[in-house]
Amino acid sequence: MMTVEELRALVRTVPDFPEPGIQFRDITTLIGHGAGLKSCVAHLSQPARNAGAEAIAGMEARGFIFGAAVAIELGIGFIPVRKPGKLPVETIGIDYALEYGTDRLEIDPLAISTGQNVVIVDDLIATGGTALAAAELLRRAGASVSHAGFVIDLPDLGGAAKLREAGLQVDALMAFDGD
Ligand code: AMP
């Protein structure tokens, strides 16, 4: 099993993407490494297991990679939190603010049973807007959401703190300074 320190070295930092001033923390290099991917999923699974997860919810698209892997590791189901217009059934959705404009997430409400303990998994938490919206949406569908796990936290952007204020326990394998 690789250590979190070793996994951190597999994350590629791309300066000025998608716009000047942003340091993009790219997980392509981490998931392309067999032992790295396996170890990363093992590390992510531990807190979800301890939280008593009954299902994992992951946000499109990178949250699908880690979320589905954690669900398989724990032997539980995976709930896709999708971009608008992708699901073929009646959905419930939530609009949330971005730095510029808004975005929207949708789920199939029938994918969740009332009171189900759903743990959120995503690759990275920045401002926390995406994860907060996902938590709110899952709660509206009846889920009990008390835990979120990320590979990467950007603490300077305050997302993890915001999630904790909203009553979620937050775990991240590693942190990077700045945005
Ligand atoms: P936020 O809603 O601000 O927490 O942003 C969450 C999503 O934006 C994450 O799922 C990431 O995939 C992506 N993201 C935001 N900032 C970065 C960054 N610096 N590097 C890589 N991905 C990022």
Side-chain angles (χ1 to χ4, degrees), residues 10 13 27 41 45 52 55 68 85 97 99 108 110-111 121 140-141 154 159 168:
L10 289 176
T13 296
I27 50 112
V41 170
S45 296
E99 197 178 351
D108 170 8
L110 301 179
V121 171
R140 279 188 207 164
L154 305 182
L168 286 153

Side-chain angles (χ1 to χ4, degrees), residues 22-25 62 122-130 154 179:
I22 303 285
Q23 301 257 76
F24 194 83
R25 308 298 178 175
R62 278 168 279 163
D122 204 358
D123 67 326
L124 183 147
I125 180 157
T127 65
T130 309
L154 305 182
D179 43 345

Side-chain angles (χ1 to χ4, degrees), residues 17-73:
F17 183 88
E19 43 188 88
I22 303 285
Q23 301 257 76
F24 194 83
R25 308 298 178 175
D26 183 20
I27 50 112
T28 308
T29 38
L30 169 62
I31 63 176
H33 189 288
L37 178 58
K38 191 178 170 80
S39 302
C40 187
V41 170
H43 285 293
L44 270 177
S45 296
Q46 202 53 53
R49 186 183 286 114
N50 292 342
E54 296 173 313
I56 302 293
M59 287 79 95
E60 188 169 357
R62 278 168 279 163
F64 286 6
I65 300 165
F66 296 103
V70 169
I72 292 165
E73 178 95 0

Side-chain angles (χ1 to χ4, degrees), residues 117-155:
N117 181 352
V118 177
V119 168
I120 292 172
V121 171
D122 204 358
D123 67 326
L124 183 147
I125 180 157
T127 65
T130 309
L132 265 180
E136 170 66 23
L137 186 56
L138 291 160
R139 283 171 173 165
R140 279 188 207 164
S144 160
V145 186
S146 59
H147 201 100
F150 304 88
V151 180
I152 299 167
D153 180 23
L154 305 182

